[in-house]
């Protein structure tokens, strides 16, 4: 399988986005499907356009990052790239979506910490259970939850335990998806 095929945006995703936007454009409520059919060429054209747009914004954001003498792209680099490429009209909606995303991540992290804390306190206040076994069980659940959050788009620690770097990587992935 070539690298070009690996860069394709899934056709069902393209179709869903286009139909949602068309439904909004004709004044329908969000979530109501537009009564429109898309042929294969239209889906291909949207997919190729999205890839070109992402590549263009990525290259510009990379230049911004290099000008700042950094190696890691961040959200501000993408926002600056959008301004430099005359797509500033997209920024308010993108920044709002980005803030909602960050808030959802924070809520997930807080909820996970609360669950872990409850499990640990339940294990320590236990009824004569072995404290080591209770702690291991709580840690196992916490590790599984962290792995699930990371694979589902949440922020986890990298191999060195550097949560800040993992958060930066997660923000970068979100920005790339939002740029599409």
């Amino acid at each position: 399988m070539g690298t070009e095929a690996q860069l394709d945006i899934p056709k069902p995703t393209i179709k869903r986005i286009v139909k949602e936007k068309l439904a909004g454009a004709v004044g329908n409520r969000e979530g109501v499907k537009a009564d429109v059919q898309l042929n294969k060429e239209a889906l291909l054209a949207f997919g190729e356009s999205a890839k070109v747009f992402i590549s263009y914004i990525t290259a510009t954001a990379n230049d911004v990052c290099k000008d700042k003498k950094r190696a890691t792209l961040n959200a501000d680099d993408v926002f600056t790239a959008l301004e430099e490429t005359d797509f500033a009209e997209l920024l308010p909606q993108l920044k709002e979506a980005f803030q909602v995303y960050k808030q959802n991540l924070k809520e997930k992290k807080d909820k996970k910490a609360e669950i872990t804390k409850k499990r640990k306190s339940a294990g320590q206040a236990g009824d004569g259970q072995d404290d080591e076994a209770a702690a291991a069980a709580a840690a196992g659940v916490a590790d599984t939850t962290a792995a699930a959050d990371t694979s589902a788009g949440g922020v986890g620690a990298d191999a060195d335990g550097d949560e800040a770097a993992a958060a930066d990587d997660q923000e970068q992935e979100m920005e790339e998806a939002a740029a599409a």
Side-chain angles (χ1 to χ4, degrees), residues 36-110:
V36 66
Q37 297 296 318
L38 300 171
N39 68 20
K40 289 181 181 181
E41 288 94 15
L43 286 175
L44 180 64
F46 277 117
E48 291 300 315
S49 298
K51 287 187 334 186
V52 168
F53 180 77
I54 291 168
S55 297
Y56 182 52
I57 298 301
T58 301
T60 305
N62 189 45
D63 292 342
V64 169
C65 185
K66 285 182 179 180
D67 289 345
K68 294 180 180 179
K69 297 180 179 16
R70 289 185 288 107
T72 304
L73 292 173
N74 63 34
D76 290 331
D77 297 332
V78 175
F79 298 151
T80 302
L82 287 168
E83 287 174 3
E84 288 183 3
T85 56
D86 296 328
F87 289 105
E89 68 273 4
L90 301 176
L91 286 174
Q93 183 180 3
L94 178 60
K95 286 182 178 182
E96 181 181 330
F98 186 62
Q99 289 303 321
V100 168
Y101 173 80
K102 285 173 62 173
Q103 182 63 33
N104 288 342
L105 280 180
K106 184 182 182 320
E107 289 171 4
K108 260 188 186 179
K109 183 179 176 182
D110 292 346

Side-chain angles (χ1 to χ4, degrees), residues 112 119 137-151:
K112 184 174 75 173
R119 287 185 177 152
V141 171
D143 289 344
T144 303
T145 305
D149 283 349
T150 301
S151 66

Side-chain angles (χ1 to χ4, degrees), residues 72-74 101 154-156 158 162-176:
T72 304
L73 292 173
N74 63 34
Y101 173 80
V155 175
D158 64 6
D162 185 3
E163 290 179 330
D168 287 343
D169 292 341
Q170 192 63 34
E171 287 178 8
Q172 181 181 352
E173 291 174 13
M174 186 277 189
E175 293 160 8
E176 291 171 0

